[in-house]
Amino acid sequence: MAAGVPVASAAAQCVTKVELTISCENLLDMDVFSKSDPLCVLQMNSTGSQWFEVGRTEKIDNCLNPKFAKKFTIDYYFEMVQKLKFGVYDIDNATLDLGDDDFLGELECTLGQIVSSRKLTRPLVKRDRTPAGKGTITICAEEITDNRAVNFEACARKLDKKDFWGKSDPFLEFYRQIETGWQLAHRTEVVMNNLNPTWKPFSIPLQSLCGGDIEKPIKVECYDYNGSGSHDFIGSYETTLVHMQEASRTYAAEFECINSKKKQKKKGYKNSGVICVKKCEVVKNYTFLDYIMGGCQINFTIAIDFTGSNGDPRTPQSLHYINPQGYNEYLAAIWAVGAVIQDYDSDKMFPAFGFGAQVPPTWQVSHEFPINFQPANPFCAGIEGVVGAYQQCLPQVKLYGPTNFSPIINHVAQFALQAMQQTTASQYFVLLIITDGVITDMDQTRSAIVNASRLPMSIIIIGVGGADFSAMEFLDGDDGSLRSATGEAAMRDIVQFVPFRQFQAPSQALAQCVLAELPDQVASFYNLLKLKPPTETTPS
């Protein structure tokens, strides 16, 4: 990383990281034939009136009293007022746009209020500030002081059959003991129709699992999933991390799954199945700052949409028209995101490409041409160089089509694949695509993203203009559902989509929103592959 980069001083100012756990009770029931399907969205505001999204919990089907497994991790600055807004929605479709989902209520507060209370329970209110029925939200805050995590591999055998027409659909919940009882730490995925399931490998932060105390009790509950939301209890057991570690070293730690009600009623009851922990390994989880300050470079590539749907750049109606003040939405997006990300790139040389235009001298349509017209050296010096090259490129190309994303995604993915040959987390690639609308090669783009999800790479898409961006939201797989046309699932969510026009004052708020997921994408990818920073810094 270049000397004098502000990230180091920012890290010094940050007092701590705080983990927020969310639950709700007595939510409004908006569904006619079933219960609401709630999801909680966290937004933050530290500058004026502009809110940006920090993240979303998982959706819980048919539940008015949800306990969300996904937690929010936030940098806490003592010297700043960090306004938070928790919005709860009943999700009835697959789009990311919350405008077509039923609003169940919200809470506005500050991070300071939550931290000082440790556990804050408040009524939810509607947008007109009237009570949202009897709905309440509870936020528990905990300072993160331990960056270790526990990697698990688990399976089960001979679980009780709970479904009349089929077998059980089991999932596990891990609970940590706290002063007031048990707090949900993790929920696995559901394995459908299987009494001998094997769950995908998963990781739980050590602090979430047992507060860093390997001898503290942990409770594991096994349920049969029901779409109605009232899951059937199969059984549970209690253990400790140290027990699971020791027992899994030789073969597998095995635990009888006990249903106490069934045990009381049934003579000769033995168990409701056996849970096997095949792997229980404590590892250090490096943070984004560990990687950046340890020498990981963020390589930033920009791709600009030059398709005909943008309109003739010489007319004010065009999205590529540069007004007398030197402004258009493309330039604003480049400046906003580039100004933040350039601090993480030591040489500040950025490759910039266009797609969807007829390019001289052959006037063939190209979907990955360097906007400086130098194929052997597509790099621009700083964000200023990108802006200059864009302004000079505009009058030299003919806007055409179609709108194909896959060529430029695959282009950057080639470099990310080369970086995978290295034994440390030295190179991460971020592709910024700025586009005006409907994507043409959707199947190829889906496959390109699924492939890139296995590489050190993230994709940011900013939609300019007023087109229908529903396809872009589909690519932003926050619900983990993005698959290629052949059904292959993405290993992780690497796409962040944001429509430019939802920001009145674009620069800082836009950058915060589109870059909010990037630190976790970088850290989680390298931790998953067990790659360390190029040089170890003082442990965070």
Side-chain angles (χ1 to χ4, degrees):
M1 196 173 99
V5 171
V7 65
S9 58
Q13 294 169 14
C14 178
V15 175
T16 188
K17 284 188 177 292
V18 174
E19 181 182 78
L20 304 181
T21 302
I22 316 296
S23 60
C24 300
E25 291 189 350
N26 302 315
L27 293 178
L28 291 170
D29 192 355
M30 307 300 284
D31 293 347
V32 178
F33 298 109
S34 61
K35 298 172 184 172
S36 295
D37 307 316
L39 168 151
C40 181
V41 180
L42 172 58
Q43 293 179 298
M44 180 181 282
N45 175 351
S46 51
T47 53
S49 60
Q50 189 73 54
W51 294 88
F52 71 94
E53 186 173 316
V54 174
R56 304 181 180 192
T57 66
E58 76 278 19
K59 178 186 80 167
I60 297 181
D61 292 336
N62 296 309
C63 185
L64 303 182
N65 302 289
K67 294 178 181 177
F68 297 105
K70 183 177 177 183
K71 302 168 191 294
F72 300 117
T73 302
I74 300 178
D75 289 334
Y76 169 55
Y77 297 88
F78 177 77
E79 69 277 12
M80 285 175 57
V81 176
Q82 294 169 274
K83 296 178 184 175
L84 303 180
K85 184 190 292 183
F86 298 87
V88 184
Y89 293 83
D90 172 26
I91 306 298
D92 288 319
N93 55 54
T95 68
L96 289 175
D97 181 12
L98 297 170
D100 53 2
D101 296 303
D102 291 322
F103 180 64
L104 302 180
E106 67 183 14
L107 169 69
E108 283 189 34
C109 61
T110 67
L111 184 54
Q113 287 175 307
I114 298 171
V115 168
S116 60
S117 303
R118 289 191 63 187
K119 182 177 181 181
L120 184 74
T121 300
R122 292 284 186 274
L124 290 165
V125 297
K126 298 178 183 177
R127 293 196 174 96
D128 62 4
R129 315 324 292 166
T130 59
K134 296 180 180 179
T136 63
I137 185 168
T138 298
I139 305 123
C140 295
E142 183 173 22
E143 178 185 356
I144 295 178
T145 56
D146 194 327
N147 281 333
R148 291 174 296 169
V150 187
N151 291 340
F152 283 99
E153 290 180 14
C155 62
R157 65 174 186 267
K158 297 182 179 178
L159 294 176
D160 282 354
K161 179 178 178 293
K162 291 288 186 178
D163 294 344
F164 186 75
W165 295 111
K167 301 169 184 174
S168 295
D169 308 315
F171 66 93
L172 300 177
E173 290 186 341
F174 285 71
Y175 286 85
R176 163 194 171 186
Q177 190 176 56
I178 57 174
E179 296 167 0
T180 53
W182 297 96
Q183 184 181 73
L184 180 64
H186 183 81
R187 183 184 291 119
T188 69
E189 90 277 16
V190 177
V191 178
M192 300 301 290
N193 199 34
N194 198 327
L195 301 181
N196 301 287
T198 297
W199 289 278
K200 293 176 184 174
F202 55 94
S203 181
I204 308 177
L206 188 67
Q207 194 158 339
S208 299
L209 182 64
C210 58
D213 181 354
I214 62 173
E215 295 186 346
K216 197 166 191 173
I218 295 166
K219 182 167 70 169
V220 181
E221 296 184 340
C222 184
Y223 288 90
D224 167 39
Y225 173 83
N226 284 320
S228 66
S230 78
H231 310 304
D232 294 324
F233 179 67
I234 294 176
S236 69
Y237 64 90
E238 288 186 27
T239 183
T240 63
L241 180 57
V242 69
H243 182 110
M244 286 191 285
Q245 281 182 294
E246 290 173 354
S248 60
R249 281 194 186 111
T250 51
Y251 170 61
E254 296 196 345
F255 302 93
E256 288 189 295
C257 210
I258 303 298
N259 186 323
S260 55
K261 288 184 180 177
K262 201 169 178 182
K263 187 177 181 180
Q264 289 173 0
K265 293 179 181 176
K266 192 174 177 182
K267 285 184 179 180
Y269 172 83
K270 190 175 180 184
N271 59 51
S272 294
V274 175
I275 308 293
C276 306
V277 178
K278 297 185 289 184
K279 180 179 179 181
C280 177
E281 178 187 26
V282 178
V283 296
K284 174 176 177 180
N285 255 1
Y286 292 94
T287 66
F288 176 66
L289 287 179
D290 286 333
Y291 285 113
I292 294 300
M293 300 173 88
C296 179
Q297 288 293 313
I298 305 292
N299 298 286
F300 185 43
T301 301
I302 298 169
I304 300 170
D305 184 337
F306 284 96
T307 55
S309 53
N310 283 279
D312 185 342
R314 295 167 295 185
T315 65
Q317 292 75 32
S318 171
L319 292 166
H320 279 299
Y321 174 75
I322 301 175
N323 69 17
Q325 290 75 42
Y327 175 92
N328 69 23
E329 291 186 13
Y330 281 92
L331 284 169
I334 292 169
W335 277 117
V337 180
V340 173
I341 212 155
Q342 69 179 351
D343 285 338
Y344 300 89
D345 189 314
S346 58
D347 65 9
K348 295 180 171 47
M349 296 295 291
F350 304 119
F353 296 89
F355 59 91
Q358 294 176 320
V359 181
T362 63
W363 301 107
Q364 294 292 310
V365 175
S366 174
H367 297 292
E368 48 172 315
F369 63 91
I371 62 173
N372 65 1
F373 300 107
Q374 298 178 43
N377 183 23
F379 295 90
C380 303
I383 298 305
E384 296 88 349
V386 175
V387 168
Y390 166 71
Q391 291 170 327
Q392 291 176 25
C393 171
L394 258 179
Q396 298 186 61
V397 299
K398 293 179 181 176
L399 275 58
Y400 204 71
T403 307
N404 291 352
F405 282 10
S406 62
I408 189 64
I409 294 174
N410 289 329
H411 175 89
V412 176
Q414 289 175 358
F415 294 96
L417 182 61
Q418 291 173 15
M420 288 286 284
Q421 310 306 313
Q422 301 176 27
T423 55
T424 60
S426 57
Q427 303 275 333
Y428 196 92
F429 294 82
V430 177
L431 171 60
L432 170 64
I433 300 174
I434 311 173
T435 181
D436 80 320
V438 180
I439 187 167
T440 312
D441 63 336
M442 177 58 86
D443 285 353
Q444 294 90 333
T445 294
R446 285 162 59 190
S447 295
I449 292 171
V450 167
N451 173 54
S453 72
R454 293 164 173 75
L455 302 173
M457 179 174 168
S458 292
I459 302 168
I460 296 167
I461 303 173
I462 296 179
V464 297
D468 175 12
F469 291 118
S470 56
M472 306 300 173
E473 293 178 343
F474 170 73
L475 296 177
D476 187 344
D478 278 344
D479 60 356
S481 63
L482 182 67
R483 292 179 177 270
S484 70
T486 58
E488 186 181 5
M491 188 177 90
R492 58 197 182 101
D493 172 24
I494 63 167
V495 178
Q496 174 78 340
F497 168 74
V498 173
F500 181 90
R501 292 194 175 176
Q502 76 178 29
F503 298 92
Q504 292 92 31
S507 84
Q508 187 175 0
L510 174 67
Q512 284 179 321
C513 188
V514 299
L515 296 173
E517 294 182 7
L518 185 62
D520 182 60
Q521 288 174 355
V522 172
S524 61
F525 176 76
Y526 286 132
N527 280 311
L528 187 67
L529 269 62
K530 300 181 181 177
L531 290 177
K532 296 181 179 180
T535 57
E536 290 269 9
T537 56
T538 304
S540 56

